[in-house]
Amino acid sequence: MKVIFAGPTFHGATLLPAAGYELRPPARQGDFFQAVDDGANVIGLIDGVYEYVPSIWHKEILFGLAQGVQVFGAASMGALRAAECAAFGMVGIGRICDDYVSGALEDDAEVAQSHAPAELGFLPLSEPLVNVRATIAHCLLLGCITGAEHDRLLETAKAIFFKYRTYKLLVQSCISDDKRASGVLAALRTNSVNQKLLDARLLVDAVVKASDRRLVPSFDWTFEATSFWNAAFPSSR
């Protein structure tokens, strides 16, 4: 059994039929453990929820790894957890995770994104900073914006709270000339780079290609079930 946790990152994307994996909503605390308990042999983490509910617990991932589950992470919450748990055997995939591992990215807010609930298909309502970075870099390479505009756009994007960050607000906030602002906005929208989605597709490929079986753990660490863990997940005993 294979499981992938995803939501807003895949909104509007055309995916191949879920061949051999089950697509579940963004993970919150307890969901990863439940997947392991359900018998998942391979788990791909892309999106996770936070802010209003507890986010996926690192110890859940360690528990899965200790059970021989193959665990992959990319794009959003998955990239964060993969970078944090790489030393314990979680496999990070894609540019965003690589940037967290290297230290090029440090802030969790880089991947934060506001979105609608499941009933509306997790419709994205804001632009994550990792996508803005990739988009303005691409536009600079294409000659659609100047180096100075790139730098202003990036600094402004960093300053906008993740829930309100859109390309329209971004351009309005740092380019005063209406004609130029209109041109830059059109360029950003036309040449937008969805780095999250690019990385997420790589994770799906990895999950599909992974053998549907648990591996024999070969780590130099052992999972310890603390009293808090046992209280949170009594069925793991």
Side-chain angles (χ1 to χ4, degrees), residues 22-146:
E22 177 184 333
L23 190 61
R24 296 189 181 185
R28 66 183 65 195
Q29 189 176 105
D31 288 347
F32 192 96
F33 170 80
Q34 187 61 57
V36 175
D37 204 38
D38 288 343
N41 299 318
V42 182
I43 298 178
L45 176 62
I46 295 173
D47 291 314
V49 290
Y50 52 94
E51 193 174 17
Y52 301 116
V53 296
S55 60
I56 180 173
W57 195 11
H58 299 78
K59 202 165 181 71
E60 295 176 69
I61 296 172
L62 298 185
F63 174 77
L65 291 168
Q67 301 299 310
V69 178
Q70 301 173 67
V71 184
F72 301 91
S76 193
M77 180 70 76
L80 289 171
R81 291 294 182 264
E84 294 158 347
C85 296
F88 300 97
M90 186 173 179
V91 179
I93 295 175
R95 178 178 175 178
I96 296 170
C97 185
D98 287 347
D99 284 347
Y100 274 118
V101 171
S102 70
L105 296 179
E106 297 180 345
D107 195 338
D108 291 7
E110 290 274 352
V111 294
Q113 180 175 34
S114 179
H115 59 81
E119 292 77 10
L120 296 176
F122 301 106
L123 173 70
L125 300 175
S126 67
E127 288 292 337
L129 189 53
V130 286
N131 284 358
V132 174
R133 284 181 182 275
T135 295
I136 62 176
H138 185 51
C139 286
L140 177 62
L141 184 64
L142 293 175
C144 300
I145 60 175
T146 66

Side-chain angles (χ1 to χ4, degrees), residues 197-216:
L197 180 57
L198 293 173
D199 288 3
R201 288 187 182 280
L202 294 176
L203 180 141
V204 172
D205 289 343
V207 168
V208 169
K209 292 175 183 176
S211 58
D212 194 356
R213 62 185 180 86
R214 295 193 179 185
L215 307 178
V216 177

